[in-house]
Amino acid sequence: MTEAIGRIQSIESMLQQLSQGIRPQATAASTTASTAASTTASTAAGAATSTDSASFAQALSSAVGGSATPDVNQLASSLGLGGSAALSGIAGALSSAGTGTATGAVTGDAVVADAKKYVGVPYVWGGTNPAVGMDCSGFVQRVFKDLGVDLPRVVSDQMRQGTPVASLAQAKPGDLLVSFGGEHISIYLGNGKAIDAPVPGQTIQIRDAWEQQSNLTAIRRIVPAGGS
C-alpha cells in the first residue's frame, strides 16, 4: 500500500509540473505535429490536475492495480478524459510508475534466475559491483535491486526484511538463508541448493546448501514464492 501511494504521489507531482508548463498555442494553421503532441499531453495534464487529489488517487490506484502495466483506458475513463488518446502524452510515465519497486510483480523464481547470472563473480569483502566483485550481502542486495526491490546493505539488516519462514523444510526458491548469527547470507534455490558469495578466494557459486537448521539464524521471504 505504501509503495502504491508513493507511485500515485509521483504521478500527481508529474502532472502538476506538466500543467504548470502549459503555454498558449499558435493558430491551428501554424501548429506543427510536434506542437500538437505537446498540446495533447498538456491538455491531459490540465484535466487530471483539475481533478481533486482523492479522486485522482482512487482512479490511478484502480487503473494500476497489481499489474506491471496500468490500464490507461480505465484511467482516462475514471478521470472523464474521453479515452486513452487524451493520456497519450503521459502514458509512458504511467507505465514506468507501474513497474517500480512493487514486490507483487517479482517472484522467487525471478530472484533465482537473476542470481544465477552472477555465477563466477569473485568474492570481494565489502564489494557491491559485479564488475569487480561482491560479498555475500552485496550479492543479495544486487540481485533484488536488479528486480526493483530495495534491500539494506548488510546481513544484520537484510535478515529483518520480508516475512519469516519457520524452517528449512518450508523454504522456497528465492528465500534468504541467514546463518551463524547473521554472519552470512545466501539465496535458496530449492532442492537443497543455494547460491552465495562464500569466502575470499572463491566465486559466487551454486552448491549444496550447507546451512542446516542447527546453524540457521533466520529464513526470510522477501517476495512471493513460485511463478507468476
Side-chain angles (χ1 to χ4, degrees):
M1 178 63 71
T2 300
E3 293 170 351
I5 293 173
R7 294 203 305 273
I8 290 169
Q9 291 175 339
S10 295
I11 294 301
E12 286 185 285
S13 177
M14 180 205 68
L15 289 171
Q16 289 170 355
Q17 292 173 8
L18 285 175
S19 66
Q20 291 169 0
I22 297 174
R23 295 290 183 270
Q25 303 298 314
T27 62
S30 62
T31 301
T32 62
S34 61
T35 303
S38 175
T39 303
T40 300
S42 296
T43 301
T49 52
S50 66
T51 306
D52 62 271
S53 297
S55 297
F56 177 77
Q58 182 179 4
L60 181 58
S61 178
S62 176
V64 173
S67 67
T69 304
D71 187 335
V72 178
N73 288 317
Q74 181 182 345
L75 178 58
S77 177
S78 299
L79 295 174
L81 299 179
S84 61
L87 290 177
S88 61
I90 58 173
L94 289 172
S95 296
S96 297
T99 57
T101 59
T103 59
V106 181
T107 66
D109 289 345
V111 171
V112 168
D114 191 83
K116 288 180 177 178
K117 76 182 185 183
Y118 292 114
V119 168
V121 172
Y123 178 100
V124 172
W125 174 259
T128 59
N129 184 353
V132 178
M134 298 182 284
D135 62 12
C136 63
S137 58
F139 165 58
V140 168
Q141 184 188 49
R142 167 64 63 169
V143 169
F144 281 88
K145 184 177 181 180
D146 288 346
L147 301 172
V149 180
D150 292 328
L151 286 183
R153 170 65 185 88
V154 297
V155 179
S156 59
D157 292 326
Q158 292 175 351
M159 63 186 285
R160 295 180 174 86
Q161 305 301 302
T163 57
V165 176
S167 68
L168 189 59
Q170 295 174 307
K172 300 294 183 181
D175 288 350
L176 302 183
L177 306 181
V178 181
S179 53
F180 299 109
E183 294 296 322
H184 188 68
I185 191 166
S186 63
I187 298 173
Y188 189 59
L189 303 180
N191 299 318
K193 299 288 185 180
I195 183 170
D196 64 355
V199 293
Q202 296 190 26
T203 62
I204 293 173
Q205 57 190 272
I206 296 172
R207 55 201 177 98
D208 291 336
W210 56 268
E211 294 89 346
Q212 301 298 317
Q213 199 64 42
S214 60
N215 63 33
L216 277 171
T217 302
I219 306 173
R220 306 298 293 191
R221 183 161 298 156
I222 308 300
V223 298
S228 56

